[in-house]
Amino acid sequence: MAKVKLVATLGPSSWSEETMKRMVAEGVNAFRLNFSHVDYARFEELAKQVRRLETPLRPLTLIADLQGPVIRLGEFAPFQVRPGDRVTFTLSSKTEEKYAVPVPNGVFFEIVREGDEVLVEGGRLAFRIVDAGPEKAVGEALLEGEVKPRKTVTVRGKDIPLPTITEKDLRDIEFSVKAGFDAIALSFVRSSSDVQRLRDILFDYGAEDVKIIAKIETKSAVEDLDSILQKSDAALVARGDLANFYGLEEIYSIQRYIISRARRFGKPSIVATQLLESMISNPLPTRSEVVDVITAVRMGADALLLAGETAAGKYPVESVYWLRRIVEEAEREPLEVEDVAPDKSDLYESIAKGVVSLAEVISGKIIAFSEKGNTARRISKFRPKAGLIVFTNDPATARYVNMIYGVRVVYDPSLSKADQNLFSKMLSKALEHNLVNLGDLVVFTSGRRRGSTDLVSVERVKSE
């Protein structure tokens, strides 16, 4: 199995149970649902399908991706533009005028100014504003393409002055908790206080086990990255929206920075946007896409996310197949990442680093027990070259560590940290599941208290 985890977005192309089953067989570890296009009845059934597909050896993580504070175009007949064509953005929900584009949100006209660059549909279309007023703005097309209704619209380099968690998001959060989602991806995070607000909402619902994935897609988030990572459970590199704030040539270094900082904080990182975009309509990826995926793997990403490729493309299963194949090829070479030192303020990180070093010296595998995922995070931070097998008795923990680099997770509710024979039981089960072989050296680790990593033992696998 690949060490980097694979995330697939569910949509019309992939939400049959048979297609989902095939994607799991090809290596999918997690499924994402995009709440910009939410259908509660459909999403509830998909959540049930995911649960039917998972097993104790193959937990599946279910991610709810919130829409966040976006502005969308109103209703109008689609039309083509070429560079130099002028369109008029108007404060309205619908129009039939030629070359008029309705924007049913006054906030857009409050922030747009002459000279600004307006991006439609994530930058597929761009317009230079030549005249701006309180209810109208004239833009000159910079790219050729089709202007379509209900697509997102942003102003390059400017945050939208709307709450990070919208009224729609609040409804979607409540649904996600009730439907049993494992993680919520918070869109357009600007500061750690945004993450804390979601944490408080989840606490009020009694859903503290639901993990928070901070989507890093604004300049504010990049600038406040460390404090955001401290508050969140994972970070997602949303390259599409980051391009609204940074030049295309800067995205490489921004991606590397986010992945590196996430690893230093021991939080999984997910890379998204156009990984295999051409496979929406083609059965094979392009050479540049292959290199892009390999680059993300070599940078040290924990997971890679497919969006339109699996949600709306013609080849959802093939997209997963190719992503896994590329990842496995990339993992044949050493990672291009620097060694990280343990956090001096965290004794348990130093112990985790010692576990990894010991396993490498004796060429042994690591078997860990983790109640809440902390032990798994700490060990994975140091990227052990040998296998990392994590046992847990908590399904929420199984689905969280399932997103962490290099972890092979086993859910077993019969295990207990208080059991004096815990290590021997884990070894027996690992042997039963063919995760270790006779003669292997194994480093065991766990914690005596919740959140700790302070027990270590070494054994050679013997027949019972």
Side-chain angles (χ1 to χ4, degrees), residues 351 355 358 423 443-446 454-458:
I351 296 173
V355 167
L358 175 59
F423 286 175
V443 181
F444 292 96
T445 186
S446 181
D454 57 3
L455 293 176
V456 181
S457 176
V458 179

Side-chain angles (χ1 to χ4, degrees), residues 44-106:
E44 185 174 14
E45 179 55 34
L46 289 172
K48 292 177 181 177
Q49 287 178 195
V50 169
R51 295 300 174 234
R52 288 195 292 266
L53 290 172
E54 70 179 351
T55 70
L57 290 174
R58 284 295 305 276
L60 296 170
T61 311
L62 192 55
I63 301 170
D65 194 339
L66 301 180
Q67 175 178 277
V70 302
I71 297 176
R72 292 185 177 273
L73 303 179
E75 297 292 338
F76 60 96
F79 61 90
Q80 291 287 138
V81 293
R82 291 183 295 181
D85 288 348
R86 291 195 172 190
V87 303
T88 301
F89 297 93
T90 62
L91 179 57
S92 60
S93 60
K94 184 178 181 180
T95 185
E96 296 180 357
E97 295 181 32
K98 190 175 182 180
Y99 290 106
V101 179
V103 182
N105 193 318

Side-chain angles (χ1 to χ4, degrees), residues 4 8 39 43 56 82 99 104 107-108 121 126 168 183 204 223 247 265 267 281 296 354 410 445:
V4 171
D39 176 336
F43 281 19
R82 291 183 295 181
Y99 290 106
V107 170
F108 173 79
E121 200 177 347
K168 177 187 180 324
D204 290 341
E223 292 172 346
F265 281 89
K267 304 293 176 72
S281 54
V410 180
T445 186

Side-chain angles (χ1 to χ4, degrees), residues 212-445:
I212 298 175
I213 301 172
K215 294 175 68 176
I216 310 302
E217 50 194 338
T218 68
K219 189 172 184 180
S220 301
V222 174
E223 292 172 346
D224 196 32
L225 183 60
D226 284 5
S227 62
I228 289 171
L229 288 169
Q230 288 176 325
K231 293 283 186 180
S232 59
D233 301 297
L236 189 150
V237 187
R239 302 184 300 182
D241 287 296
L242 281 170
N244 295 340
F245 298 90
Y246 297 94
L248 292 175
E249 71 281 1
E250 298 177 275
I251 299 301
Y252 173 89
S253 59
I254 296 295
Q255 173 175 305
R256 177 184 286 279
Y257 173 70
I258 297 170
I259 293 172
S260 174
R261 296 308 299 171
R263 184 177 167 218
R264 285 192 174 277
F265 281 89
K267 304 293 176 72
S269 59
I270 306 166
V271 174
T273 313
Q274 297 178 332
L275 287 172
L276 301 178
E277 182 88 349
S278 71
M279 290 196 70
I280 290 176
S281 54
N282 297 305
L284 296 173
T286 65
R287 291 164 180 80
S288 59
E289 288 169 343
V290 171
V291 173
D292 183 31
V293 170
I294 291 174
T295 298
V297 173
R298 302 291 296 281
M299 282 184 178
D302 289 78
L304 302 178
L305 187 154
L306 296 173
E309 300 96 330
T310 54
K314 295 179 180 179
Y315 305 99
V317 177
E318 292 84 350
S319 295
V320 175
Y321 163 78
W322 273 104
L323 184 61
R324 175 182 55 79
R325 182 171 170 177
I326 298 165
V327 166
E328 289 177 342
E329 179 63 28
E331 290 176 347
R332 295 177 186 274
E333 299 291 331
L335 295 177
E336 294 178 349
V337 296
E338 58 185 20
D339 289 334
V340 292
D343 182 346
K344 293 181 180 179
S345 65
D346 187 343
L347 171 63
Y348 303 131
E349 270 207 1
S350 296
I351 296 173
K353 173 66 172 176
V355 167
V356 173
S357 298
L358 175 59
E360 291 181 359
V361 168
I362 66 174
S363 299
K365 294 181 178 178
I366 300 171
I367 296 181
F369 181 80
S370 189
E371 274 191 326
K372 290 299 177 183
N374 294 307
T375 295
R377 286 194 305 103
R378 291 187 184 110
I379 295 174
S380 177
K381 173 178 177 175
F382 302 106
R383 296 298 191 257
K385 296 181 177 64
L388 171 56
I389 304 159
V390 175
F391 284 84
T392 184
N393 56 8
D394 187 329
T397 299
R399 294 164 185 154
Y400 174 50
V401 302
N402 184 47
M403 295 292 296
I404 299 174
Y405 175 92
V407 172
R408 181 72 185 271
V409 61
V410 180
Y411 167 62
D412 191 326
S414 71
L415 296 175
S416 170
K417 180 182 287 190
D419 190 339
Q420 292 184 344
N421 297 315
L422 174 63
F423 286 175
S424 62
K425 287 183 177 180
M426 288 196 299
L427 182 58
S428 176
K429 291 176 183 294
L431 190 58
E432 176 187 340
H433 296 311
N434 297 315
L435 301 177
V436 296
N437 300 308
L438 293 176
D440 285 350
L441 281 169
V442 175
V443 181
F444 292 96
T445 186

